[in-house]
Structure formats: structure tokens, C-alpha cells
Amino acid sequence: GEAALLLGELYLESEQPDLALRALTDAGIDPSDPLGPQAVRLEARAHEAAGDYAAAENSYLTVADQTEMSFERREAWADAARMRELQGDWSGAATLYGQILSGLEDDDPSRGLYEMRREEARMHAG
């Protein structure tokens, strides 16, 4: 599994997302395995690099659903929101930014960034 992750990372760095996806698929890493979250995040990045934003969004949302770490969930939701923006789903992006904000303390330093992104998405959504 670790070798497949490393190989996938190398393929991504060399701008070969299709080969990265193949390496991950061939490895058969189950999302519930210890390496699963890393594999799903790498899969999401590969889909994004290949321009398949819907598949990338789904993978990022899988990461958010599976992780127990709040910062990883926040990052995955932010990445999924970015994919929604790229697909023109501004309302959906605003919803994800709202989810991020609901988990942040009022004095969290990143709060302003996500509030700005949510308002921008709302503006685009109309």
C-alpha cells in the first residue's frame, strides 16, 4: 500500500494523473484501511489533476466522512467546495463552507477566510 501511494504521488508530480489512479486502483487499498484516507485523498488529487472535478469532489467528501480529525475534515470540505466552484455549483460550495464554519470557534484565525469564501460563493449563486 505504501509503495502504491508513493508511486501515485510520483505520477502526480510528473503530471500523469491517469497512471496515479491506476496505481491506486491496482493496489486495492480499502478506504477503511490505515492507509485508506491517504489513498482516497491522493485519488481525489489525481481526479482533480485529470479535470474530473465531480469524481474529485466525491473523493474529497469521502475523506471528510471517514476522518476523525477535525482539521482533515475541514480541509476535505474546503477541497470539495473548490471542486463545486469549478463545476459552477456555487450554492453547494457555500453549503460546504457553512459546514466548515459551524465547526470553528468564534476566535479561530481561519474563520474570516471561510466566511469570505462562503459569501463569495453566495454572491455567485445569486
Side-chain angles (χ1 to χ4, degrees):
E2 290 178 19
L5 289 175
L6 181 59
L7 183 59
E9 192 71 47
L10 290 172
Y11 280 135
L12 270 180
E13 288 176 12
S14 64
E15 299 179 10
Q16 299 178 68
D18 294 338
L19 292 176
L21 287 168
R22 185 180 320 152
L24 292 169
T25 301
D26 290 350
I29 301 169
D30 188 87
S32 64
D33 288 343
L35 294 175
Q38 285 178 277
V40 175
R41 180 170 282 287
L42 185 58
E43 174 185 280
R45 290 178 43 221
H47 283 303
E48 182 178 351
D52 189 350
Y53 302 133
E57 175 190 341
N58 288 332
S59 293
Y60 286 128
L61 290 174
T62 298
V63 171
D65 288 342
Q66 291 179 338
T67 188
E68 295 182 20
M69 307 295 282
S70 61
F71 75 93
E72 287 180 343
R73 185 175 304 111
R74 186 171 46 246
E75 287 177 3
W77 278 337
D79 288 331
R82 192 168 41 79
M83 294 302 98
R84 287 182 179 181
E85 290 171 357
L86 290 170
Q87 296 173 85
D89 181 6
W90 292 98
S91 179
T95 299
L96 287 175
Y97 290 130
Q99 285 180 254
I100 293 169
L101 288 164
S102 70
L104 293 177
E105 298 293 327
D106 290 341
D107 61 348
D108 189 295
S110 64
R111 188 167 190 79
L113 171 67
Y114 292 115
E115 286 174 344
M116 179 186 69
R117 288 182 177 172
R118 181 183 62 185
E119 293 310 311
E120 180 183 22
R122 285 179 173 170
M123 183 185 72
H124 283 287

